Every structure is written in structure tokens, then in C-alpha cells.
Amino acid sequence: MPFTPLLTCESLLSETSESVVRATAGVVAEHAEQITARFYPRMFAERPDLLRVFNQGNQATGEQSRALAASVVAYAVHLIDPEAPPFDHVMTRIAHKHLSLGVRPEQYTTVGHHLLAAVAEVLGDAVTAQVAQAWSEVYWLFATQLIAEEARLYQQAGIDPAHPLRVYQVVRRIEETAGVVSLVLSPADGEPLPAISPGQYVSVFVDLPDGGRQPRQYTVSSTASETRLQITVSRVTGVGGAPDGRVSSYLHDVVRPGDLLDVSNPAGDFIVESSSRPLLLVSAGAGITTVLPIVEHLARTQPQRQVVVAHADRTQHDHALRQTVLHAGRQLDDFTSHVWYEAVDGDDHQSRHGLMDLGDVPLPDDLAVFTCGPLPFMRHVRAGLLARGVPASEIRYEVFGPDLWATQV
Ligand SMILES: Cc1cc2nc3c(=O)[nH]c(=O)nc-3n(C[C@H](O)[C@H](O)[C@H](O)COP(=O)(O)OP(=O)(O)OC[C@H]3O[C@@H](n4cnc5c(N)ncnc54)[C@H](O)[C@@H]3O)c2cc1C
Ligand code: HEM
């Protein structure tokens, strides 16, 4: 029998709060980014320890603030509008990210306190007791669902949220290109690796020379070894006066074999299900790190599955993991690779020139698409595939930063 939820989402809010949220959703949405921009400094002033858990690069660019604002607004709309776009993927994405960072239930009280105080600060007198109560209800409904999903994920992975990290030793560095290094990591306790689904990432926490501690997510870029975990890090250089990336620079310039890193359990739902459907894996730049583990996995488990890879990069000298992907692809029965470079070497007669254009690439029917790269690139790819009749529901994506797209697609 199909599962019928006893509660529909719109009935989760109390009747009074529902009408208040309906009446105030517009004004909250309009000020959402102002609210979250106030929220973080408030919270960090009282809890400076959280500066070591939140990505300070995303604070500086405002991306995390925008992602939080968009998620809360989309959640509220989802509560009051039965026609609202699906929200499950947003919830899952956040829960996985929280899992990788060791977010704990009791921290929701701190976040809730400062977020609701920031709403009152920004909206002033418009926040009557009734409005405050209604938005507190929205927050706690969202929080409760996230806490439940995170508890399920922690339990499934056998992680104690009070100790979410394991120490790994760097056993090897592979200079993939001038700007990309792979680090091969081995659990320092000598115990087996956790279960890793190809496409998942880990959060790596580093203690920086300035005394700060920061986490960043890195895709597990190869699952070829059953005892070692590999990440592949692209060096981020600052553009237009912005500083160079803190953690990527540290991993490139300082970390050497023998060093220890704190690493989370693998997380993320950018995972290829086992099915017979053909796959199109579309990447740009560092997005290639999601392609290799998937191709390797299929070579091991489903070599008969048809796979097309398409990658875009600046030049072939910037194209990391190229040979490794081709090597893994050769173990598949039906594997095709397409490449676009902004500048093609004179002796390279196979790669295409310019931005990726899938328009004339032969694509199999009933395709499942996985794409990873900068947002403008993925928007372009998605538009092209939709125009070719690929259903939106078959295009999955991974963003290497706070997901500012999830609430829009
Ligand atoms: C799920 C996921 C998977 C990922 N997988 C990979 C992977 O496999 N490989 C990989 O290389 N990366 C990956 N990333 C990206 C990675 O997590 C980091 O974001 C990346 O390495 C940059 O981190 P950083 O500390 O070097 O840069 P940051 O210090 O965080 O800086 C990031 C950007 O912000 C700008 N910035 C920082 N401070 C300021 C300021 N004050 N003013 C203006 N601009 C500022 C910097 O110039 C830079 O452009 C992944 C991210 C996610 C979310
Ligand atoms: C209802 C409450 C919460 C909501 C709606 C929420 C929402 C989000 C969203 C949308 C993201 C970005 C996900 C992405 O990468 O795409 C995120 C990331 C994050 N959240 Fe939460 N969150 C909540 C509670 C918490 C709590 C209690 C903590 C613990 C202190 C926390 C810590 C973090 C951290 C550290 C990140 C990563 C930030 C970054 O990489 O810049 N969150 N959250």
C-alpha cells in the first residue's frame, strides 16, 4: 500500500501562526538577507567558538548568509503553500552538511535565539508578540525536522555527534597539475575506512598558522583503495584584491606526508543509484573530483553501464585527473569522453575549443545526469539539456559552496 502521510505539511503550523506567516512571509522574504547578515555577527559575538565551525570565506562573501535566508523563506513558503516546489532535497542537503560538521541538537537553541532576535532587530515594531511566536514556530518546525534527519544520519553512520571527526595521516601527495594536488589519507587509528558512496565529500578541519581553525568540504576523489581515502584540492587564488583561499593554500603549501588532519565521516547525497540507465557526468574545473569516484565505482560494479563524461577546463594542463578518469573509463564496456578547453594546444586535435556545448554530443535516451562545477556553468548545462528534452528531475548537481540554487530549482 502506498505510504500516506498523516499530516500534510500545511497542517504543521498552528492555525493562528499560519495566518500570521501568510501575512508576513513577503516582508520577511524581502528582508531575509538583512536578517541573516545581522544574525551571524550577533551569534559569533556571543559564541566565538563557532567561528571555528563556520566557513569564514563564506561569511566574507555573504554566500552562507544568503543560503540560510533562502532556505528559511523557502521552508516557510512550503508550510503555507501546498503548490510550493518540493523541499526535501534542500532539507537533505543541509542535514548532510551539518552531519559533516558535527552540528548537535543543542546548538539549535543558540541559532534559534540569535536568528529570531535578528528578525526583531531588522523588522522592529512590525514584530508583535504574535509575529514573533509565528516565526519561532516556523524556526522550530524546521529545526525539529533537521535534528531528526541528522539524528538518523548520525545513527546510520555510527557516529557520536560529540566526536564527529577522525584523525587521518597524509601518506602521499600527488601533484596533479600546477594548481591541483591530491592528498592520500589513511586513518591514523589503523581501523577500516568508513563506508563511502562515490560522489560524497568529507569535511577536513585544519589548524591554521594564525591560530584559527577552519573546516572545508572535499569530495572523496577516488575510491580505488579500500584502505585509503583521497581528496583532490584545487588552489583558490584571490581575484581583484580578494585574499587567496585559506584552507586550499594551506593544504597546498604546508601539508606534507606524515601530517595529521581531522576528517569527518563521508556525507552528501550526490550519489549514483545502481540502475541500468545511461549516465552523463558533466564537470568543469574542480568538479572533476566527483567524476572519477563514480567512474571507478561503475567500473567495479556495473561495467556494462553506458557512461558519457563531458568536462570543461581552461587548458589541458589545468585538467586534473584526466588520465585517471580515462583509465577507469577503459574498464567500462561503453564509455565516451568529451572535452572543451578555453585554449586548445596546437597539437591537440580531439578537444573542442571554447565553452562546453552539449548541443551536438550524441546522448542516449533515458539519461541520468550528474553535474558539478561553478553555478553559471551548471545553469548553462542544465538549460542546454532541458532544451534537448532531458527532464529536470533527471539532472542532479553538486555545488562546491553553500547551495544558492537549491531553493530555485
Ligand atoms: C560539497 C563540497 C565539495 C567540495 N569538493 C571540493 C573538491 O573536491 N576539491 C576542491 O578543490 N574543492 C572542493 N570544494 C570547495 C572547498 O570546500 C573550498 O571551498 C575551497 O577549497 C576554497 O576554500 P579556501 O579555504 O581555500 O578558500 P576561502 O578562504 O574559503 O575563500 C573562498 C573564496 O572567498 C574569497 N574570500 C575570502 N575572504 C574574502 C574576503 N574577506 N573578501 C572577499 N573575498 C573573500 C576568496 O578570495 C575565495 O575566492 C567543495 C565544496 C563543497 C561544499
Ligand atoms: C533551522 C536551523 C538551521 C537552518 C535552516 C540551517 C540552514 C543551513 C543552510 C541552508 C546551510 C548551507 C547548506 C549548503 O551548503 O548548501 C547550512 C550550513 C551550515 N550550518 Fe546550518 N542551519 C540551521 C542550524 C544550524 C545549527 C544549529 C548549526 C550549529 C552551529 C549550524 C551550522 C552550520 C554550518 C557550520 C554550516 C556550513 C556553513 C558554511 O560552510 O559556510 N546550522 N545551514
Side-chain angles (χ1 to χ4, degrees):
M1 216 171 76
F3 171 73
T4 316
L6 293 176
L7 286 172
T8 57
C9 278
E10 60 274 20
S11 67
L12 284 175
L13 272 175
S14 68
E15 222 170 281
T16 330
S17 293
E18 191 182 326
S19 58
V20 175
V21 171
R22 267 185 209 291
T24 53
V27 69
V28 171
E30 215 176 290
H31 295 87
E33 288 183 24
Q34 254 174 285
I35 292 167
T36 52
R38 289 271 185 110
F39 152 73
Y40 284 110
R42 268 192 70 100
M43 185 171 73
F44 294 141
E46 192 183 293
R47 293 287 309 275
D49 56 307
L50 290 177
L51 287 166
R52 296 159 76 83
V53 184
F54 279 87
N55 176 329
Q56 292 308 308
N58 293 339
Q59 290 296 320
T61 58
E63 285 194 9
Q64 175 57 23
S65 180
R66 288 199 291 281
L68 176 63
S71 75
V72 174
V73 168
Y75 183 74
V77 169
H78 158 82
L79 286 175
I80 56 175
D81 178 4
E83 305 291 316
F87 194 74
D88 286 0
H89 66 293
V90 182
M91 192 74 84
T92 307
R93 160 108 190 167
I94 302 171
H96 276 273
K97 182 64 83 65
H98 283 172
L99 174 97
S100 81
L101 292 158
V103 169
R104 297 191 303 278
E106 63 271 22
Q107 293 176 317
Y108 280 84
T109 311
T110 307
V111 166
H113 167 72
H114 290 287
L115 192 55
L116 295 165
V119 172
E121 268 179 29
V122 171
L123 298 184
D125 291 346
V127 183
T128 60
Q130 221 183 19
V131 171
Q133 167 58 30
W135 283 92
S136 167
E137 223 175 292
V138 171
Y139 173 80
W140 280 107
L141 281 173
F142 201 169
T144 310
Q145 280 181 264
L146 283 171
I147 291 168
E149 179 59 8
E150 287 156 22
R152 194 181 70 79
L153 293 174
Y154 281 125
Q155 198 225 5
Q156 208 173 46
I159 305 169
D160 172 359
H163 304 283
L165 304 179
R166 257 174 98 179
V167 181
Y168 282 69
Q169 185 168 47
V170 179
V171 291
R172 194 174 159 209
R173 274 176 68 104
I174 307 165
E175 310 293 334
E176 306 282 359
T177 69
V180 178
V181 67
S182 290
L183 299 177
V184 182
L185 310 175
S186 175
D189 57 13
E191 295 294 317
L193 284 182
I196 306 167
S197 297
Q200 285 194 306
Y201 59 85
V202 287
S203 281
V204 176
F205 284 70
V206 299
D207 294 309
L208 295 159
D210 62 9
R213 180 173 168 86
Q214 279 285 279
R216 294 291 183 271
Q217 290 70 43
Y218 293 101
T219 305
V220 178
S221 59
S222 173
T223 53
S225 161
E226 287 179 6
T227 54
R228 290 165 171 193
L229 175 161
Q230 175 178 300
I231 58 171
T232 299
V233 182
S234 183
R235 186 192 279 280
V236 172
T237 40
V239 180
D244 289 345
R246 278 175 92 190
V247 174
S248 64
S249 301
Y250 178 80
L251 294 173
H252 271 263
D253 298 337
V254 179
V255 171
R256 293 289 176 270
D259 289 350
L260 300 176
L261 293 172
D262 288 332
V263 177
S264 77
N265 207 69
D269 65 338
F270 187 72
I271 291 169
V272 173
E273 289 82 19
S274 166
S275 96
S276 58
R277 298 176 58 198
L279 272 181
L280 171 63
L281 309 175
V282 193
S283 54
I288 191 80
T289 58
T290 60
V291 173
L292 178 58
I294 293 173
V295 176
E296 283 174 345
H297 173 75
L298 294 174
R300 274 196 308 274
T301 58
Q302 287 191 291
Q304 72 288 358
R305 193 156 172 190
Q306 185 178 359
V307 177
V308 180
V309 296
H311 181 79
D313 230 310
R314 282 188 299 261
T315 69
Q316 69 163 302
H317 311 286
D318 298 298
H319 184 168
L321 305 177
R322 179 181 185 208
Q323 291 305 331
T324 338
V325 170
L326 290 176
H327 175 76
R330 277 196 284 274
Q331 297 161 56
L332 293 165
D333 298 345
D334 190 344
F335 175 81
T336 328
S337 167
H338 304 272
V339 177
W340 285 258
Y341 296 132
E342 286 171 34
V344 179
D345 283 9
D347 58 353
D348 175 356
H349 303 297
Q350 288 185 330
S351 309
R352 295 169 208 212
H353 178 247
L355 300 181
M356 182 181 287
D357 177 4
L358 293 170
D360 61 355
V361 169
L363 294 178
D365 292 335
D366 193 25
L367 192 64
V369 183
F370 285 72
T371 178
C372 182
L375 259 188
F377 166 80
M378 294 198 288
R379 282 203 179 96
H380 166 76
V381 164
R382 186 172 186 271
L385 290 170
L386 292 178
R388 288 191 63 177
V390 177
S393 58
E394 298 310 330
I395 307 174
R396 304 262 300 272
Y397 69 92
E398 180 66 288
V399 186
F400 278 180
D403 188 350
L404 301 171
W405 208 16
T407 47
Q408 298 162 24
V409 292

